[in-house]
Amino acid sequence: ADIQAFLKKLPSILGDEASKPVLVSHSFGCAVVMKYLEQFPDEVSSLGGVVKMCPVPPSGNGPMTIRFLRRSLVSSWKIIAGFALKKAITDPALCRELFFGGDKQVLKDGNVEDYGITDEDIARYQGYFLRDTDAIIDVSDFVKNLPSDKAVEGRAPFLTQLPPCLVVGAERDNIVDQEGVDETAFYLGLDEAVMIDSPHDVMLGRNWQKGADAIHEWLEMGQVPV
């Protein structure tokens, strides 16, 4: 696995005296990391901590999609159009709404609210999306091998081996809902997730520091050796 190879390479890069790395993942990457930890539980000891931000939950995106359908057909269609039909690559307004908090708005004072994401940013990110379509996730295979398949009463089978964990959710997330975030937190043995005021892409845009602060404050609690 690429994650496994990366973690094994780190000591030669950082030196033997370096602290164990904290593995941070986002969105679908969180499900990939959960599957990695399930398949290679002996590797868990090499981590100092695990952070998941706006995570696709262990049960995958299927149950979450159904919840979105029940709440709003319009929102569900936007998700389907953005991902399955790949409209997020070509439609700047849809891209903004799904990932970055909403389309641009002209305010009463004449200023433009773009949530800290310029048109040039959107064009660049859409270019990344287009590039990434060359290496897509096999969703049908993923559904057959969900992390939750090995869960014990909703908890990860490797729970006792886990280092300190943090799950961060976004209050204005149009892709991963609160139930999905809570499911991931429970899976990793946490009582609750940390929720921040942000859209799905917590590391970008005007509110990026709120996600960074959540991780920093967690590290400052002293559970993770630094």
Side-chain angles (χ1 to χ4, degrees):
D2 289 342
I3 297 175
Q4 188 178 33
F6 174 69
L7 292 175
K8 287 184 176 180
K9 184 68 175 177
L10 274 181
S12 66
I13 299 173
L14 302 178
D16 294 335
E17 301 302 317
S19 301
K20 293 181 179 180
V22 174
L23 187 57
V24 181
S25 54
H26 174 258
S27 195
F28 225 116
C30 297
V32 173
V33 169
M34 282 185 274
K35 196 63 183 178
Y36 164 77
L37 296 175
E38 174 195 300
Q39 293 180 328
F40 303 100
D42 293 341
E43 300 291 332
V44 176
S45 62
S46 67
L47 298 174
V50 173
V51 177
K52 299 189 177 300
M53 309 187 80
C54 303
V56 169
S59 61
N61 57 354
M64 202 156 52
T65 301
I66 293 173
R67 290 195 295 268
F68 274 109
L69 276 169
R70 289 172 176 167
R71 292 187 192 114
S72 170
L73 289 175
V74 174
S75 296
S76 299
W77 168 246
K78 289 179 180 179
I79 294 172
I80 293 170
F83 286 90
L85 302 181
K86 301 180 181 180
K87 295 292 187 182
I89 297 174
T90 58
D91 186 334
L94 180 60
C95 182
R96 284 181 174 278
E97 187 165 352
L98 287 176
F99 298 104
F100 304 114
D103 196 8
K104 291 193 304 182
Q105 300 179 51
V106 178
L107 305 179
K108 292 181 178 179
D109 60 8
N111 290 319
V112 176
E113 171 60 272
D114 62 4
Y115 302 96
I117 302 291
T118 67
D119 290 339
E120 290 75 16
D121 291 331
I122 290 295
R124 186 169 71 257
Y125 298 143
Q126 287 181 310
Y128 297 156
F129 295 159
L130 179 61
R131 178 198 63 191
D132 291 345
T133 59
D134 293 331
I136 61 173
I137 294 173
D138 187 339
V139 176
S140 61
D141 181 70
F142 177 73
V143 168
K144 298 174 185 176
N145 298 279
L146 292 169
S148 60
D149 290 345
K150 300 289 195 311
V152 180
E153 297 182 347
R155 302 284 195 180
F158 47 84
L159 196 61
T160 58
Q161 299 165 275
L162 276 175
C165 296
L166 171 68
V167 174
V168 179
E171 294 171 350
R172 294 185 285 114
D173 197 329
N174 289 326
I175 297 172
V176 176
D177 62 6
Q178 177 77 57
E179 290 93 330
V181 174
D182 291 341
E183 179 190 333
T184 302
F186 186 81
Y187 181 78
L188 297 177
L190 302 175
D191 293 330
E192 60 184 0
V194 173
M195 300 301 296
I196 61 173
D197 176 22
S198 174
H200 182 72
D201 273 27
V202 293
M203 71 293 287
L204 301 170
R206 183 170 296 120
N207 286 359
W208 70 266
Q209 190 164 351
K210 295 186 177 182
D213 286 344
I215 297 176
H216 182 259
E217 290 169 8
W218 174 70
L219 291 171
E220 289 289 295
M221 292 172 61
Q223 298 181 39
V224 180
V226 294

